[in-house]
Amino acid sequence: MFERFFNYSNELMCIASLDGYFIQINDAFIDTLGYPKETLLSEPFTTFIHPNDIDKTLDELKNIGNGVDTVNFENRYCDSNGEIKILSWQSTFDHESNSIFATARDITQERLAISQYSQLYKAVSDNIIFAKTNVKGVITEVNQKFCDISGYDKNELVGRTHKIVNSGYHSRAFFSQMWQTISSGTVWTGVITNRAKNGKYYIVKSIIIPLFNIDNQIESYIALRQDITEQIQYQQANQKNLEILHETGTVAKVGGWELNTQSNEIFCTAETSKIFDLKSDGPISISLKQGLSLFSQSHSKLLHQAIDDTIKTGSPFELEIQTSGEKQPAKWLRLTGKKKEPFVDERIIFGTVQDIHEHKLAQIKYKEERRKSIQNAKFSALGELAASIAHEINNPLGIISGFSEILLYQLPNQDEKLSAIIDSCDRISHIVKNLKRFSSTDTIPCKTRVNLSEVVKDAISLTQPRARKYHAKLTAQIADNISVWGVHIELEQVLINLINNAIDAVETSLTKIITVQLLDKAHSPLVIIEDTGGGIDESFQLRIFDPFVTTKSENKGTGLGLSVVKGILEDHNAHIKVNNTECGARFEVSFPPLLYNQEQGYD
């Protein structure tokens, strides 16, 4: 009977000798330590005890030999896996058998739970505002953190309710709802504004937990609170700053943006949404691809490269770039960007976007006006020089031409060579006359009947040298005696601009041909200029006559030439359009018919 009880007991049981050996052990003992029974019986039991507990175990063994029973003696054993087992012993010495009869409990998990609870309790006490109340809300326990934040001593708090720190900020309905929640056995969480003993307010994030007794009845409440006063004050100040920034950003047309380089998501402020016309009254998130599509093709690549450089090197950037002009008219923006500090979030690039369109237009206009002023000054000097040179050149030209005509009369067999001399003289005279006229700086041009055929010929004469410079072939098909109502020099400027653009277009082409045609279509003059430069992208064709839109690099074009061309032609009631041919671009300028009015002359 004893053996059955001994072996089947859940308690660890053993019989040991005073010289430190197990005489008999039960199955529970073997299962707990994991060693074979033979090993446990053949080795001194100190072999299995934790080294730090051997001395106190031997002292306890002496006490047992002296007739002192062991009650709740704890020591540590090492099981076969090397893990620690904490055992609590009860033992007595039997004088008849000269043996120790002992039982033990494995309290390892119990001690671990107590240790973890102690650590948790200390962490709560040191870092969390703690209070415990009975079911009526009377405070029964507080920690030092509660005393520190409220300004009350423990003896002032214990026995009182939380009304002692009531700030009056919350309504009765607020506390009624809170009590209704916790009295139903549910945990309540929320933010409470309290008042300290010195009258200052403090804000705590609270968790109130009902505690149940063995009968599942609420016996008390524990309140855990965290001081978030500074956090709330910071949020309020930050919100105020955001409101101020929003107002100033709206006035200054400055928005903000933030790019997460991991998700490629861009957060845009309300003002940024407004600048890009993103159809949103508030902040919005878009993908990096969507963001880049908001800019013109060349500037989109420029921005993408700047972002990549910032990601790789951390260097900030500042760009003046232009929007695509697809959803709204293209405009200039100043875009800045920089990487957040590594200790904040190195994945984030943030910056500002500012609408500088009006400023940019004024800046470009100023540069253009300055360029025009310089150009006009050159033209003025050129005009004076041309007038002087014309006189100096025309005299010897007249002599050369005159003597050539005499020689032609006297030497008819040399007519081919002499005719070439006479034609060259006429050509020089014509070029000097055109140069003098084109460099004229008259400020009040007057519209008259203009021979458009002569205008086209003069424009070709002035652009031919540049065409030869770039090895371009400039051909013409010009109908005679076609007239329009206008200003000769302005129409010549239009054609020179269009021909020069065609020369620029064919500069890098293998085939460099520019064709100029003047046709009379039902008494409506039509000028056609074609090139073999590969054509113009369709996205640019729709807005190529807008100011500051150009397909040329920054150092070659301002985007104002075709805008000026269109303005001059509109002033002449003429129309211009562009489309692509198989080899390049084709510009067509159509003029209204020249009508005769007996009272007012040509109109």
Side-chain angles (χ1 to χ4, degrees):
M1 186 71 175
F2 168 76
E3 261 192 53
R4 289 183 62 190
F5 172 75
F6 184 83
N7 287 324
Y8 288 109
S9 174
N10 290 325
E11 295 285 328
L12 281 65
M13 291 186 176
C14 69
I15 301 172
S17 62
L18 287 175
D19 58 358
Y21 282 86
F22 292 119
I23 299 171
Q24 191 173 353
I25 55 177
N26 69 348
D27 292 342
F29 206 106
I30 296 170
D31 293 340
T32 299
L33 295 183
Y35 293 101
K37 185 175 182 179
E38 294 77 11
T39 303
L40 292 170
L41 293 178
S42 61
E43 300 285 340
F45 52 68
T46 53
T47 304
F48 311 104
I49 296 175
H50 191 283
N52 293 341
D53 288 353
I54 291 176
D55 288 342
K56 74 172 185 177
T57 302
L58 293 176
D59 290 340
E60 187 64 25
L61 191 61
K62 291 178 183 179
N63 291 335
I64 295 172
N66 293 328
V68 179
D69 291 344
T70 298
V71 179
N72 297 330
F73 171 75
E74 295 180 12
N75 65 358
R76 291 169 292 174
Y77 276 70
C78 298
D79 68 10
S80 60
N81 295 320
E83 295 182 2
I84 302 298
K85 299 291 185 181
I86 303 174
L87 304 182
S88 177
W89 294 91
Q90 311 286 335
S91 65
T92 185
F93 183 68
D94 180 49
H95 292 278
E96 290 184 9
S97 61
N98 201 31
S99 300
I100 302 169
F101 289 81
T103 63
R105 275 191 315 115
D106 182 359
I107 60 170
T108 306
Q109 294 302 320
E110 182 181 326
R111 285 289 178 264
L112 180 61
I114 292 172
S115 174
Q116 291 176 343
Y117 174 78
S118 298
Q119 294 174 47
L120 180 61
Y121 184 83
K122 186 177 186 305
V124 168
S125 297
D126 292 346
N127 299 283
I128 302 294
I129 302 164
F130 170 84
K132 186 176 182 180
T133 71
N134 61 21
V135 290
K136 293 183 179 180
V138 176
I139 300 172
T140 58
E141 185 181 349
V142 294
N143 69 346
Q144 188 58 42
K145 295 282 286 186
F146 194 115
C147 298
D148 293 341
I149 195 169
S150 68
Y152 292 99
D153 294 330
K154 285 186 180 181
N155 57 357
E156 293 178 291
L157 293 168
V158 174
R160 305 284 295 274
T161 67
H162 279 84
K163 287 182 180 179
I164 192 172
V165 291
N166 191 329
S167 63
Y169 179 83
H170 303 283
S171 65
R172 287 188 177 184
F174 175 85
F175 289 110
S176 176
Q177 185 272 332
M178 181 189 74
W179 273 103
Q180 186 177 0
T181 300
I182 61 177
S183 61
S184 68
T186 305
V187 175
W188 181 90
T189 61
V191 175
I192 301 177
T193 300
N194 287 331
R195 184 170 57 188
K197 189 176 182 179
N198 61 8
K200 289 186 177 180
Y201 291 93
Y202 64 92
I203 304 169
V204 289
K205 187 174 183 179
S206 301
I207 302 175
I208 303 177
I209 307 166
L211 298 181
F212 298 86
N213 60 20
I214 198 168
D215 296 324
N216 204 31
Q217 299 295 317
I218 298 175
E219 64 174 10
S220 60
Y221 299 103
I222 287 179
L224 305 176
R225 299 184 176 94
Q226 182 183 4
D227 182 10
I228 58 171
T229 307
E230 291 186 1
Q231 178 182 339
I232 295 297
Q233 290 173 346
Y234 172 79
Q235 289 176 351
Q236 291 172 345
N238 191 45
Q239 182 62 33
K240 187 66 177 177
N241 288 336
L242 287 175
E243 291 174 1
I244 294 172
L245 285 173
H246 176 70
E247 293 299 325
T248 54
T250 302
V251 173
K253 296 183 179 179
V254 178
W257 61 274
E258 186 176 272
L259 167 65
N260 186 317
T261 59
Q262 190 173 39
S263 64
N264 279 339
E265 184 179 30
I266 302 176
F267 173 80
C268 304
T269 64
E271 184 60 25
T272 302
S273 301
K274 182 178 177 182
I275 289 172
F276 286 104
D277 192 25
L278 296 177
K279 309 300 182 185
S280 174
D281 295 331
I284 191 173
S285 292
I286 59 175
S287 67
L288 176 59
K289 184 178 180 180
Q290 288 174 307
L292 293 173
S293 69
L294 298 172
F295 298 94
S296 66
Q297 188 174 6
S298 59
H299 286 177
S300 175
K301 292 179 180 178
L302 189 66
L303 175 58
H304 202 178
Q305 183 61 52
I307 291 173
D308 284 344
D309 290 343
T310 300
I311 293 172
K312 294 174 183 176
T313 66
S315 57
F317 64 84
E318 181 176 343
L319 301 173
E320 290 186 359
I321 51 182
Q322 200 173 32
T323 59
S324 65
E326 293 180 2
K327 294 183 178 179
Q328 58 178 353
K331 58 183 176 182
W332 285 93
L333 304 176
R334 178 179 288 115
L335 206 72
T336 67
K338 64 181 294 187
K339 204 172 184 180
K340 280 194 175 180
E341 299 297 333
F343 57 82
V344 179
D345 192 341
E346 60 182 3
R347 299 170 303 170
I348 301 299
I349 294 176
F350 70 101
T352 61
V353 56
Q354 183 180 13
D355 184 347
I356 60 166
H357 190 64
E358 297 300 326
H359 170 75
K360 189 69 174 180
L361 293 189
Q363 187 182 62
I364 294 175
K365 186 176 181 181
Y366 167 76
K367 288 181 179 180
E368 182 61 18
E369 290 298 327
R370 186 170 178 272
R371 187 190 67 79
K372 284 183 178 179
S373 296
I374 295 172
Q375 193 73 7
N376 286 337
K378 290 180 179 179
F379 279 155
S380 178
L382 182 61
E384 294 177 7
L385 182 63
S388 176
I389 290 176
H391 177 74
E392 296 296 327
I393 289 178
N394 284 336
N395 285 336
L397 275 179
I399 295 172
I400 294 171
S401 178
F403 277 111
S404 296
E405 289 178 355
I406 293 172
L407 289 172
L408 180 63
Y409 177 76
Q410 294 176 347
L411 305 170
N413 59 329
Q414 299 292 326
D415 61 340
E416 184 177 343
K417 296 179 180 178
L418 293 171
S419 295
I421 294 173
I422 294 170
D423 290 341
S424 296
C425 290
D426 290 341
R427 178 172 174 74
I428 293 172
S429 177
H430 184 70
I431 290 173
V432 170
K433 182 180 70 174
N434 285 347
L435 182 64
K436 183 179 178 182
R437 185 186 66 255
F438 190 72
S439 60
S440 172
T441 56
D442 293 341
T443 55
I444 308 177
C446 226
K447 288 183 180 178
T448 60
R449 180 176 183 177
V450 176
N451 188 328
L452 191 58
S453 305
E454 293 298 323
V455 172
V456 175
K457 291 176 182 177
D458 291 343
I460 292 174
S461 173
L462 290 173
T463 54
Q464 188 69 261
R466 188 166 183 265
R468 291 195 193 99
K469 177 183 176 182
Y470 291 105
H471 308 289
K473 183 179 180 181
L474 181 56
T475 62
Q477 178 186 343
I478 304 170
D480 292 328
N481 300 321
I482 297 180
S483 298
V484 294
W485 188 257
V487 179
H488 185 111
I489 190 65
E490 289 184 356
L491 295 176
E492 190 174 335
Q493 181 182 354
V494 166
L495 296 176
I496 288 173
N497 192 302
L498 293 175
I499 295 171
N500 277 332
N501 280 348
I503 294 171
D504 290 336
V506 301
E507 182 180 348
T508 58
S509 298
L510 295 177
T511 304
K512 303 179 181 182
I513 300 175
I514 300 157
T515 305
V516 181
Q517 299 180 71
L518 172 60
L519 309 174
D520 189 3
K521 294 288 186 179
H523 303 292
S524 294
L526 176 65
V527 178
I528 301 172
I529 299 174
E530 292 186 14
D531 62 63
T532 57
I536 302 170
D537 190 278
E538 291 184 3
S539 62
F540 279 104
Q541 288 186 25
L542 298 174
R543 51 194 183 91
I544 198 168
F545 298 106
D546 294 343
F548 313 112
V549 174
T550 179
T551 59
K552 300 178 184 179
S553 59
E554 187 174 351
N555 60 342
K556 285 193 175 183
T558 63
L560 290 171
L562 288 177
S563 174
V564 171
V565 164
K566 186 178 181 184
I568 293 173
L569 292 176
E570 286 178 348
D571 190 50
H572 285 74
N573 294 321
H575 300 281
I576 184 170
K577 66 178 182 178
V578 59
N579 51 55
N580 286 332
T581 64
E582 185 177 347
C583 299
R586 173 188 176 103
F587 284 84
E588 294 184 6
V589 181
S590 56
F591 292 87
L594 182 63
L595 304 178
Y596 182 75
N597 184 300
Q598 290 182 344
E599 294 181 358
Q600 299 180 1
Y602 286 98
D603 192 47

